[in-house]
Amino acid sequence: MDCQVIFQPSGRRGTVKKGSSLLEAARKLGVDIESPCGGTNCCGKCKVKIDEGYVDELSAETHISHVSQLTENEKNMLQPQEIRENYRLACCTQIEGDILVFVPEESRSTQQVVLETGKDRVLRVNPAVRNYFVEMIPASLEDHRDDSERLKAALLDRYSHLDKELSIDYTVLLSLPVIVRKGKWSVTATLWKEQVVVALEPGLVEATYGVAVDVGTTTVAAYLCDLTTGKVLQQDSMMNPQIRYGEDVLSRITYGMDDDNGLAILHQTIIEGINTLVTRLSKAAGINVEQVAEMVLVFNTAMHHIALNINPCYVGRSPFAPAVRKSLDIKARDLGIRIAAGGNIHCLPVEAGFVGPDNVAVLIAEEPHKQEKRRLLIDIGTNGEIDFGNKQRLLSTSCATGPALEGAQIKFGMRAAPGAIEKVRLDPVSLEPQYKVIGEADWFQPSQTIKAKGICGSGIIDIIAEMFKSGIIDPTGKFNMQQTSRRIRRDANNKPEYVLAWSEETSIGSDITVTQGDVREIQLAKAALYTGAKILMKKWGTDQVDSVTLAGAFGSYINKESALVIGLFPDCNLDNVVAVGNAAGDGAKIALLDKDKRVEAQEVADFVQFVETAVEPDFQPQFVQAMYFPHGKDTFPHVQHILDTIPTVKRSKLEAL
């Protein structure tokens, strides 16, 4: 039996099978509801409200009885007031009749602010794809050669360095007779690696194009490049459309395993996303997508397998072995990517189970393997990747930071989108906050247009650091309820929280708070990063770093002093802590423009040593110490002047004496 469902305020409607969850219905009808856990009933972000009454569009009543009974999970995650007002969690609630569902603002996926740019780099132009113009000998009754032989002969006669075993892609053969005659036997052949004709155009065509794509777990960034000049013509980005199936890679692997068509759905979803970006880039540049002859893809290992339609389930199981490590060249048509049909898709190599081509891209962009300094590179994301070392020895690892640093698993956390609180500072005496919202140029003013909706990752780091510095939380992360401030209170479940924004300052009609649970989530995330870095340093044989490089969008927006104060990474001179933007995207562009860098990428992937930190004997004690702010044992000379002013730190030192 089918049931009618309408989602408001989007107005999306359709029929779904009785027994489907509201989250499944939303996915089917294209309604993006926040579901960081991928529908595993553990994040509480997919709140929706069941409306009651007669609905003209349904020609029927909608009622709370048209969905399944409230679950224990929902009773634990929803406030009593929300339950009375017919709020439910979309992932827990099955449809049993015609229904009208309202998606509140805090549950709607919004357009994230995506960082596409990296840092300025000198790029060498030596692409795998080049254009070659030739004037062919016209066919005649005396010359019985076929068109393909004429083209090969013309190319080899004029360009002696080309591969003697030159071949022509099948898709080029389909249009070859028409194109050579349209060009009056003068054509421009696009060759890949001087071996294969992958595209053909009539007359002289100088420019050839390629696209570099960084497929992140949360975001996808793409760059259209002129392969003759090395210039980036256009860049664009989007939320990874797979996000509706889970915020982290394990959620998506689970979805791929549990749903009969899960892998196919995930694969097709990201391919459609890439095609959308290529279409938008091409349109903006005034070219056809068929003029794009090559693409370079970078991603983590799970995203790599899903994008290539390879079963990723074994990447998520010990010993986390990928299906393939080496770099790959695949025909665009085999993946369904809409560029030149004969075009090439190059994927950089995989390092290890959870350290993928995106980390290799960071390495060929930043080149720590060519330097004397001991560099710590951290690409902060849902799956954090860490590299440490220099040209003598380079180590890498991955750590499950989880999506907390990107706003998920935080009560009022959200992605970096308009309305997200991105910067915070507290008065150390009054404990009153100042904050800045994305979309507004200035710090909060009562008259501002965009009201606060939640807190994004950079804001979360700031508020936790500020709460620690002002003594609201102690080094263990516990709230100090002796502080006298109206903003420090207990919630309906008697748990401590800090009110960052009052309800009248928000667009969601409720106070935005930072809870004890939020503090614990950040402790877990930062402890994972810190422990990974320390184990690599110990393996390398040092307890110091010369510099810290923060890659990725998150690293570019966080306050590095706040990050060091809470112990997000080991102590370092803040002057030597730098953010390099989307270094993975930069590495993808570098590999697109310089084929020699692809060789280097494979060499670096073979050179770097992967360390499985979780199996190290001292992992657990290291992790426990890293849970403290900034750390249980390690010193932080470069922010000690700040730590010395913190009331709870002073008190704990006195108690220790």
Side-chain angles (χ1 to χ4, degrees):
M1 177 179 173
D2 289 338
C3 302
Q4 295 183 80
V5 183
I6 298 177
F7 286 92
Q8 296 292 9
S10 67
R12 294 292 182 90
R13 61 180 296 173
T15 57
V16 298
K17 289 188 179 300
K18 184 178 180 179
S20 301
S21 73
L22 287 173
L23 185 59
E24 289 169 342
R27 288 169 174 170
K28 177 183 177 183
L29 300 177
V31 178
D32 285 333
I33 294 178
E34 290 282 3
S35 55
C37 69
T40 55
N41 310 342
C42 64
C43 73
K45 294 290 185 184
C46 59
K47 292 179 186 176
V48 295
K49 185 176 185 293
I50 308 302
D51 282 352
E52 294 188 303
Y54 186 83
V55 181
D56 288 337
E57 296 95 323
L58 293 173
S59 298
E61 292 276 338
T62 174
H63 195 270
I64 190 66
S65 63
H66 294 183
V67 295
S68 57
Q69 293 291 314
L70 198 70
T71 66
E72 289 301 317
N73 253 9
E74 291 175 291
K75 291 176 183 177
N76 293 331
M77 292 186 183
L78 296 171
Q79 298 297 320
Q81 180 68 23
E82 291 175 326
I83 293 173
R84 286 193 293 272
E85 294 175 357
N86 291 341
Y87 277 81
R88 300 295 300 271
L89 296 182
C91 64
C92 297
T93 308
Q94 282 74 49
I95 299 166
E96 297 181 353
D98 297 340
I99 198 77
L100 176 65
V101 183
F102 178 78
V103 183
E105 185 175 355
E106 61 265 36
S107 299
R108 299 175 210 155
S109 295
T110 51
Q111 182 61 44
Q112 182 168 2
V113 176
V114 179
L115 181 71
E116 300 158 355
T117 56
K119 72 177 187 181
D120 291 334
R121 305 177 191 271
V122 177
L123 304 180
R124 180 177 177 232
V125 182
N126 180 33
V129 171
R130 294 179 184 273
N131 280 354
Y132 295 87
F133 174 72
V134 291
E135 295 176 306
M136 301 164 58
I137 298 174
S140 67
L141 291 173
E142 291 76 26
D143 186 347
H144 299 291
R145 290 180 300 166
D146 58 74
D147 292 342
S148 66
E149 287 304 314
R150 289 175 194 281
L151 176 59
K152 290 180 187 178
L155 286 166
L156 292 172
D157 285 347
R158 181 165 181 180
Y159 305 101
S160 58
H161 67 283
L162 297 181
D163 193 308
K164 303 306 178 187
E165 299 300 319
L166 185 67
S167 64
I168 300 175
D169 187 81
Y170 169 70
T171 59
V172 177
L173 288 176
L174 299 179
S175 57
L176 175 62
V178 175
I179 290 176
V180 295
R181 286 161 181 82
K182 184 177 180 180
K184 298 179 180 178
W185 303 95
S186 294
V187 294
T188 299
T190 303
L191 269 67
W192 177 70
K193 295 180 71 171
E194 301 172 347
Q195 298 173 342
V196 185
V197 179
V198 296
L200 193 67
E201 296 176 80
L204 174 63
V205 179
E206 294 182 345
T208 185
Y209 306 97
V211 174
V213 186
D214 173 21
V215 182
T217 309
T218 304
T219 59
V220 184
Y223 311 84
L224 175 66
C225 301
D226 185 328
L227 300 183
T228 57
T229 65
K231 183 179 179 181
V232 178
L233 302 177
Q234 297 289 334
Q235 57 191 45
D236 201 350
S237 58
M238 62 165 34
M239 295 296 298
N240 188 324
Q242 295 174 335
I243 209 158
R244 68 188 68 172
Y245 304 106
E247 190 109 356
D248 58 83
V249 293
L250 290 179
S251 295
R252 293 184 205 167
I253 290 173
T254 300
Y255 178 80
M257 292 167 58
D258 291 348
D259 190 286
D260 290 341
N261 297 314
L263 175 57
I265 291 170
L266 290 170
H267 167 71
Q268 193 56 41
T269 298
I270 191 57
I271 295 300
E272 288 173 0
I274 292 170
N275 284 335
T276 297
L277 283 174
V278 173
T279 300
R280 290 190 338 211
L281 289 168
S282 301
K283 184 177 180 180
I287 66 171
N288 296 320
V289 292
E290 293 81 8
Q291 291 176 269
V292 177
E294 188 171 39
M295 178 181 288
V296 169
L297 294 176
V298 301
F299 18 39
N300 63 47
T301 311
M303 293 297 98
H304 166 279
H305 281 43
I306 291 169
L308 302 185
N309 211 20
I310 300 171
N311 190 336
C313 69
Y314 301 106
V315 174
R317 299 176 185 172
S318 181
F320 315 110
V324 58
R325 287 189 64 247
K326 297 294 183 181
S327 59
L328 296 171
D329 289 296
I330 303 168
K331 286 293 183 183
R333 60 178 176 271
D334 291 342
L335 287 176
I337 292 178
R338 292 193 294 271
I339 58 173
N344 182 65
I345 308 298
H346 180 81
C347 303
L348 290 184
V350 171
E351 272 186 47
F354 278 104
V355 184
D358 52 356
N359 191 62
V360 176
V362 171
L363 293 177
I364 64 172
E366 286 297 309
E367 300 183 330
H369 52 285
K370 297 182 179 179
Q371 299 169 24
E372 293 285 352
K373 286 186 177 181
R374 296 164 299 185
R375 294 180 62 189
L376 179 65
L377 282 77
I378 307 175
D379 195 344
I380 307 174
T382 306
N383 184 57
E385 285 139 1
I386 306 172
D387 302 283
F388 180 73
N390 58 10
K391 66 181 184 180
Q392 298 172 13
R393 190 182 181 198
L394 192 60
L395 306 176
S396 75
T397 191
S398 65
C399 51
T401 53
L405 296 176
E406 294 183 339
Q409 297 177 351
I410 303 297
K411 183 174 182 180
F412 287 95
M414 63 178 289
R415 302 187 189 101
I421 295 173
E422 62 171 337
K423 294 180 182 178
V424 182
R425 56 191 179 215
L426 300 187
D427 184 288
V429 178
S430 69
L431 306 183
E432 287 295 303
Q434 288 182 298
Y435 60 82
K436 184 181 178 302
V437 171
I438 293 176
E440 292 288 339
D442 300 319
W443 292 72
F444 173 74
Q445 303 291 332
S447 60
Q448 69 185 39
T449 304
I450 299 177
K451 302 293 186 181
K453 180 182 175 183
I455 319 170
C456 68
S458 60
I460 291 165
I461 295 296
D462 267 2
I463 184 57
I464 297 296
E466 291 292 303
M467 289 168 65
F468 174 49
K469 286 159 60 177
S470 60
I472 296 173
I473 55 176
D474 66 18
T476 70
K478 184 180 178 182
F479 269 73
N480 174 18
M481 299 307 290
Q482 304 304 312
Q483 291 272 27
T484 55
S485 168
R486 64 182 183 140
R487 291 183 180 269
I488 302 173
R489 68 187 190 190
R490 292 186 180 274
D491 64 16
N493 297 315
N494 203 35
K495 303 291 185 181
E497 64 181 8
Y498 174 84
V499 182
L500 178 56
W502 299 111
S503 58
E504 59 267 23
E505 302 169 8
T506 76
S507 64
I508 59 175
S510 65
D511 299 339
I512 292 176
T513 64
V514 180
T515 69
Q516 184 69 76
D518 296 339
V519 176
R520 293 292 183 234
E521 289 293 342
I522 295 304
Q523 286 179 280
L524 290 168
K526 77 99 177 176
L529 282 175
Y530 193 97
T531 304
K534 286 292 290 187
I535 288 177
L536 293 188
M537 292 163 63
K538 182 179 178 181
K539 285 276 186 184
W540 201 91
T542 184
D543 59 0
Q544 293 183 329
V545 300
D546 295 322
S547 69
V548 176
T549 300
L550 302 175
F554 184 82
S556 295
Y557 289 118
I558 62 172
N559 181 315
K560 57 187 181 182
E561 182 182 282
S562 295
L564 192 55
V565 163
I566 68 169
L568 191 67
F569 48 80
D571 184 68
C572 183
N573 186 330
L574 287 173
D575 291 338
N576 296 330
V577 179
V578 297
V580 294
N582 188 2
D586 283 353
K589 286 184 285 186
I590 289 169
L592 176 69
L593 293 168
D594 185 359
K595 61 185 179 183
D596 291 342
K597 275 289 188 175
R598 302 179 191 185
V599 177
E600 182 182 330
Q602 188 64 64
E603 292 170 349
V604 171
D606 294 336
F607 171 67
V608 67
Q609 296 173 256
F610 176 74
V611 178
E612 185 58 72
T613 55
V615 301
E616 292 294 312
D618 61 342
F619 175 83
Q620 195 59 37
Q622 287 263 24
F623 189 89
V624 170
Q625 292 299 321
M627 286 283 288
Y628 287 83
F629 295 128
H631 194 272
K633 293 181 178 179
D634 292 353
T635 59
F636 289 76
H638 291 98
V639 289
Q640 192 60 48
H641 62 288
I642 297 173
L643 300 177
D644 287 340
T645 67
I646 298 176
T648 53
V649 173
K650 284 182 178 179
R651 186 164 61 250
S652 62
K653 282 186 176 180
L654 290 172
E655 290 170 353
L657 292 172

